[in-house]
Amino acid sequence: MIIKRAFWKLQTLMSLSSGGIMIGYVANLQSFGRHYSIDLSEKELLDRFNTYDKIQLQTMKKIGKMKAQRIIDYRAVNGFFDNLDQIKQIKGMTSKILDGLRKQKNYLPHPKSLSSIDQDLRESLSSIVSIDLGFKNFAFVHMNRDLVILDWHKLSFPSVITANLQQTYENILGIRQTLPAADVYVIEQASAIPSHGASFNTGIPLRILEALLYCVLQPQKVVSMNARTVQSYFNLSKGRQKKTDAIKMVMDLINGQSLNHNVTFTPEQITEFVNNRKKDDLSDCLLQALTFYDKEVFNRHNNLTCLQEAGTTT
């Protein structure tokens, strides 16, 4: 199974009690937060060689800048690889490297906070999907580069994470099938996990759900954004007040009272947001999308930049 190792860690977590036994699990948490070990079929590996950009190729074991560029150059001249033997025609790509990539020691990296996108994708990008993932529900917004909202929903599940590993995987696949097609998927990264208490016991499963979703979204471009990046970018308050600030900011966007962004909503989207009793998931994924566009696509460093640009166009 493509995420066999992730399932094993998930099962380990679920078998532990909520007490001090869980602390023993933390030893592997840091490595798991960055790498999800998987077994690749020949087709899955071939898909990566055919679809990954230069930056993504360099995340594969034993492939550096030079090999990645040779792969890109080969594809530009010859098109997609038909089989793994064709990849061996590229200088430095040996059978040993390919065998290593297919085995369990091949690691699929999880991006650290906000991952950069290359210039080609930055210029060609037409839309993104921004995701806020929870235990019993998730929210997403599909937004194009003109800041037109194409889709914006909060959906519920009986429980995304369950004691049955197969059911958990199927729930994550259900989320994947619900999401619209986009050039980039942005997943909210779970905040730092305390070493004890309720936040500890909920933080680890959220990280694992994030890992599973990241895996099933491949080979599409997936980036991870820490919630604190959005909080800092929009200068939101800390603690519980953060949710109130975020909801108010989205209401300002809806009412055309934001000086920083001109977001286009449909009447149905506005109604769904206004009528939703728990609006913070919808507001979080929307502000995350705007942060991604400003910082990664439009190269704006803060909201003051947006304000200055708005002033020059009026």
Side-chain angles (χ1 to χ4, degrees), residues 78-310:
N78 302 287
F80 287 163
F81 298 101
D82 294 323
N83 51 63
L84 293 182
D85 286 336
Q86 289 184 353
I87 298 173
K88 297 177 188 176
Q89 299 174 19
I90 296 173
K91 183 179 179 181
M93 292 303 301
T94 64
S95 297
K96 185 176 181 180
I97 290 177
L98 293 176
D99 289 342
L101 287 170
R102 291 184 60 182
K103 291 180 180 178
Q104 200 169 14
K105 290 184 179 180
N106 172 58
Y107 290 101
L108 174 62
H110 187 294
K112 300 176 183 178
S113 65
L114 182 60
S115 301
S116 61
I117 56 177
D118 61 34
Q119 186 62 30
D120 289 342
L121 180 55
R122 184 176 290 110
E123 293 176 355
S124 64
L125 185 148
S126 61
S127 72
I128 68 169
V129 169
S130 173
I131 306 162
D132 181 272
L133 184 64
F135 287 119
K136 294 185 178 181
N137 56 68
F138 75 100
F140 73 89
V141 61
H142 185 202
M143 179 185 289
N144 69 18
R145 68 183 299 130
D146 294 322
L147 307 189
V148 176
I149 296 184
L150 308 174
D151 213 353
W152 189 30
H153 292 294
K154 177 181 175 181
L155 302 174
S156 298
F157 283 83
S159 181
V160 177
I161 191 167
T162 72
N164 185 301
L165 298 184
Q166 183 63 35
Q167 184 60 55
T168 298
Y169 179 54
E170 290 174 1
N171 288 344
I172 292 294
L173 285 178
I175 292 175
R176 172 67 184 95
Q177 292 165 2
T178 301
L179 298 174
D183 298 305
V184 175
Y185 293 86
V186 186
I187 305 176
E188 182 185 38
Q189 185 182 58
S191 301
I193 300 173
S195 60
H196 63 280
S199 295
F200 176 80
N201 293 331
T202 58
I204 290 179
L206 276 176
R207 279 286 175 89
I208 295 173
L209 288 178
E210 181 189 341
L212 294 173
L213 183 58
Y214 179 82
C215 288
V216 300
L217 283 170
Q218 294 291 324
Q220 296 300 115
K221 180 68 175 179
V222 185
V223 300
S224 182
M225 182 183 294
N226 194 295
R228 292 178 181 175
T229 301
V230 180
Q231 179 181 349
S232 174
Y233 186 71
F234 283 100
N235 196 28
L236 301 175
S237 302
K238 296 182 179 180
R240 294 182 179 180
Q241 184 61 33
K242 172 183 172 290
K243 294 182 179 181
T244 303
D245 288 354
I247 292 170
K248 181 182 183 303
M249 192 162 290
V250 172
M251 287 303 302
D252 287 344
L253 290 166
I254 289 174
N255 295 324
Q257 296 175 349
S258 172
L259 298 176
N260 300 338
H261 299 93
N262 183 20
V263 179
T264 302
F265 302 83
T266 66
E268 293 77 14
Q269 291 163 355
I270 295 173
T271 299
E272 179 171 350
F273 180 76
V274 171
N275 292 340
N276 202 299
R277 291 190 301 173
K278 194 173 182 295
K279 299 178 175 63
D280 55 292
D281 295 331
L282 288 166
S283 60
D284 285 351
C285 67
L286 178 55
L287 295 184
Q288 179 174 263
L290 292 175
T291 303
F292 176 83
Y293 268 121
D294 283 355
K295 294 175 73 70
E296 284 293 286
V297 180
F298 304 137
N299 198 29
R300 297 166 178 160
H301 301 291
N302 52 52
N303 262 316
L304 179 60
T305 306
C306 302
L307 182 60
Q308 290 172 339
E309 291 180 2

